[in-house]
Amino acid sequence: MFTSPVRACLFLALVSQFVTAIPFPPPTGSYNTTLLISELTDDARLDPFAPTKQPRRLMISVFHPISPAECSPYLTPDLNPITAAFEDAALAQFGVQPGTFESLDLQVCQSRANPHHLSTSRNHPLVLFSPGLAGTRLFYNAIAQQLASRGYTVVTIDHAYDASIVTFPDNSTILAANITTEAQILLDLDARVKDVSFVLDKLSEPSTTARIIPSLACRLEVSNTGIIGHSLGGATAATAMLRDSRFIAGINLDGSFWGDVIQKGLDKPFLMLAHEGKIDPTWEAIWPNLTGWKRELMLAGSAHNTFTDLPDVVDVLGIRGSLPPEAMDLLGTIGGARAFEVITTYVEAFFDFMMKGESSALLDKPSESFPEVSFESP
């Protein structure tokens, strides 16, 4: 889980110093990507954490593969201004300066809207991403975009009152509730799982996909969806696979498991990636109950938040050497670019195998190309 943000500093960070815009390196897959950000509202469900009765509101980002021939490239902010200022303030205690997150851009595409290009847009496998508690989906943009560049439609989700801050199109915001007790976490997990199933429901509607991915010539295939999550998002992935048959393969990035999935287990493919030295009783408890394909891998030099974009952000901005030791304790000692390469390579290999039938030796034994990765079993 993320370190809880210092909410009182939100407006302080709005007075930011000028920082030259810096783009993330482009993804390395054979596709470019489009990006569309959208609000979804579940009118059939009340938000369990809202102070008044109101429907559950979510924000999603959709990264969709597009061929280079269809791409009109442009830069877009990695984080919207309100969220960027909030996260600058929240992480100021770790040496983050005002204006840091506002300076980051993503390199994305706008689809060239003509009938020829619309007709060539393929239906790619769908993967949903659930962030860590008290984080933001935007801290996984680069990871999601990299996976999309390998031929996946990737949807990241902000869970309201769980994410550090959710900024909606009208610039209204929802800040994180104080979710700390076991009962609260289990309630949050239940809401998260219902969120991801609701997103699948919406993406199965032609009207929704036409609005979100206008270049898509056919409906999204939601009946065979992958799911990945970090921290509590990893528990979300596992529980969603237990409850919703449309999720066929999943990844837990360094998260403890919660709820009945520990005892009930899964009979579907599941990959677990751990930070160096991780000891987690819930991983030991669920392991014998995972009866399908399964692997547990450990990444040397990593910490819990290595499995976000943040280590890469540090390297892209060139500020690793200026951060205090406590910041590096959160990010790990492995370089950001290398961590990003290792994590995304194994994530891609897993989904390529489970969703496209493309086997990889990376998933069967240690690799000389990635000596930082060891095979574990609780």
Side-chain angles (χ1 to χ4, degrees), residues 188-221:
D188 187 31
L189 177 64
D190 181 68
R192 282 167 158 262
V193 172
K194 290 174 180 175
D195 288 346
V196 297
S197 290
F198 169 69
V199 170
L200 280 194
D201 292 342
K202 297 300 292 184
L203 292 177
S204 69
E205 299 173 357
S207 60
T208 301
T209 53
R211 173 172 58 87
I212 294 177
I213 315 173
S215 62
L216 190 64
C218 50
R219 295 176 62 176
L220 278 175
E221 174 54 62

Side-chain angles (χ1 to χ4, degrees), residues 57-86:
R57 300 169 67 198
L58 308 172
M59 286 298 296
I60 64 171
S61 296
V62 181
F63 293 88
H64 184 66
I66 187 171
S67 72
E70 297 178 67
C71 174
S72 294
Y74 69 100
L75 295 177
T76 190
D78 184 38
L79 278 67
N80 63 72
I82 294 175
T83 300
F86 180 88

Side-chain angles (χ1 to χ4, degrees), residues 292-327:
W293 186 101
K294 61 184 178 183
R295 297 288 187 275
E296 181 189 335
L297 307 179
M298 184 173 288
L299 177 58
S302 65
H304 186 58
N305 287 325
T306 300
F307 300 93
T308 69
D309 289 349
L310 293 178
D312 206 27
V313 168
V314 167
D315 286 358
V316 167
L317 296 177
I319 59 174
R320 180 173 289 269
S322 64
L323 294 179
E326 53 266 31

Side-chain angles (χ1 to χ4, degrees), residues 12 52 56 132 153 165 216 283 369 378:
L12 175 63
T52 60
R56 181 76 165 173
T153 298
I165 182 172
L216 190 64
W283 284 42
S369 299

Side-chain angles (χ1 to χ4, degrees), residues 41-52:
T41 301
D42 188 352
D43 291 313
R45 181 163 54 112
L46 293 178
D47 195 311
F49 293 102
T52 60

Side-chain angles (χ1 to χ4, degrees), residues 135-151:
T136 166
R137 77 186 194 284
L138 305 178
F139 279 169
Y140 306 87
N141 277 343
I143 293 173
Q145 185 184 33
Q146 173 60 31
L147 181 58
S149 78
R150 288 293 302 267

Side-chain angles (χ1 to χ4, degrees), residues 100-130:
T100 296
F101 287 108
E102 288 96 324
S103 70
L104 293 167
D105 284 340
L106 288 174
Q107 304 179 53
V108 295
C109 297
Q110 182 175 356
S111 177
R112 295 191 173 117
N114 63 64
H116 171 71
H117 289 294
L118 291 176
S119 67
T120 59
S121 185
R122 293 175 50 195
N123 192 345
H124 297 273
L126 177 64
V127 175
L128 269 54
F129 196 114
S130 179

